[in-house]
Amino acid sequence: MKSVRAFAPGTVANLGPGFDVLGLAVTGVGDAVIAERGSDGEIRIRSSGHPEIPSEAERNSAGIAAARVRERAGKADVGFTLRVEKGLPLSGGQGGSAASAVAAAVAVNELLGSPFGKDELLPPCLEAETAVAGRHADNVAAALFGGVVLVRSLEPLDVVRLPFPRDLRIVLVQPRQRLRTEDARARLPRTVDLGIAVAQAAGVGALVAALAARDYDLLRRSVDDRIAEPARAPLLPGFAEAKSAALSAGALGCSISGSGPSSFAFAADEDSARRIGEAMVAAYRARGIEASARTGAIDGKGARIDGVEE
Ligand code: HSE
């Protein structure tokens, strides 16, 4: 095998109340990594996909994931050259660092003769995400497995794949802003009031039940984040107005996508998703913030090989 191209979809983490525990993959845009075996034992990033993304392998999520997969396979002497194609925005809240890590892990695993299944690729991806964006598995797990995931525990790593409705639409709106995950995480409260913790736990349970039963009335009542959203919304001009526009346009819930700045909404069908996206973009623009929207379904496949050159 000369080279392998792997694709990993963009993801929405948290889904409202599920801070660090819920995530889903969205059809459409993602990151891809093209991996080739190197002539020496080094891991090199030939292209990081963006001038602001480091091309030193040990500072790049794709490079770190590739190194961890190689270590796990006991092939520390095998080198790789990686080219990252960034479809996802930088510091956008759509799981870009996770998608690059996951695509690299999947591509390198294939080049090594597929010693690992997806479950075994998750820890290397989490290590890469931890190094560049803080320790959270909601984006990497969703990008790797696809669908909707619940991170039950990080230690030991335990991820549950959840049932979800195939017709649910996701609206993702990207305002022209950037927010580094690290900075958004620094804003979070260190402790939470018991009443808030109880409401948040109830929200996560209700959201999981709503997705499993395709109960959109319950979904609407479940997307209620009392921890991360109130702490982060002040960093995100236009978000409050966009959320209110989304709900007025019929969204089945709206919140920050991951750590932001993107926001997401759930919609019952494609027409309503488009209307909600337009309403959200108009609300950002009314605050003087350029924004763009895309709509998609939940990507049930997750990361995949989409090209092999022999
Ligand atoms: N759960 C993470 C956070 C996702 O909210 O910080 C980051 O994309």
Side-chain angles (χ1 to χ4, degrees), residues 287-307:
R287 278 285 314 263
I289 297 158
E290 193 44 47
S292 58
R294 69 178 170 104
T295 65
I298 296 175
D299 177 329
K301 293 195 201 115
R304 55 236 184 215
I305 300 292
D306 64 359

Side-chain angles (χ1 to χ4, degrees), residues 182-232:
E182 266 182 322
D183 298 336
R185 290 179 83 78
R187 292 297 288 244
L188 297 168
R190 298 294 113 192
T191 56
V192 293
D193 173 82
L194 182 62
I196 292 180
V198 170
Q200 198 87 356
V204 173
L207 204 151
V208 171
L211 292 174
R214 198 186 168 281
D215 181 340
Y216 287 167
D217 283 334
L218 180 58
L219 184 62
R220 207 191 296 269
R221 304 199 298 282
S222 312
V223 184
D224 179 14
D225 174 12
R226 312 232 182 140
I227 298 176
E229 188 183 302
R232 289 169 168 173

Side-chain angles (χ1 to χ4, degrees), residues 13-14 19-20 93 95 136 138-139 181 185 188 228 232 257-259:
N14 303 341
F19 173 72
D20 274 5
H136 58 97
D138 40 3
N139 294 109
T181 302
R185 290 179 83 78
L188 297 168
R232 289 169 168 173
S257 175
S259 59

Side-chain angles (χ1 to χ4, degrees), residues 16 26 35 53 57 62 101 104 119 127 132 148 150 152 165 179 186 229 294 296 302:
V26 186
I53 299 178
D119 285 333
E127 283 179 51
V132 304
V148 185
L150 170 80
R152 192 205 59 79
L179 180 57
E229 188 183 302
R294 69 178 170 104

Side-chain angles (χ1 to χ4, degrees), residues 175-177 237-239 241-242 280-291:
R176 196 175 291 161
Q177 299 163 342
F239 166 72
E241 292 86 343
M280 292 173 76
V281 166
Y284 278 112
R285 286 187 184 151
R287 278 285 314 263
I289 297 158
E290 193 44 47

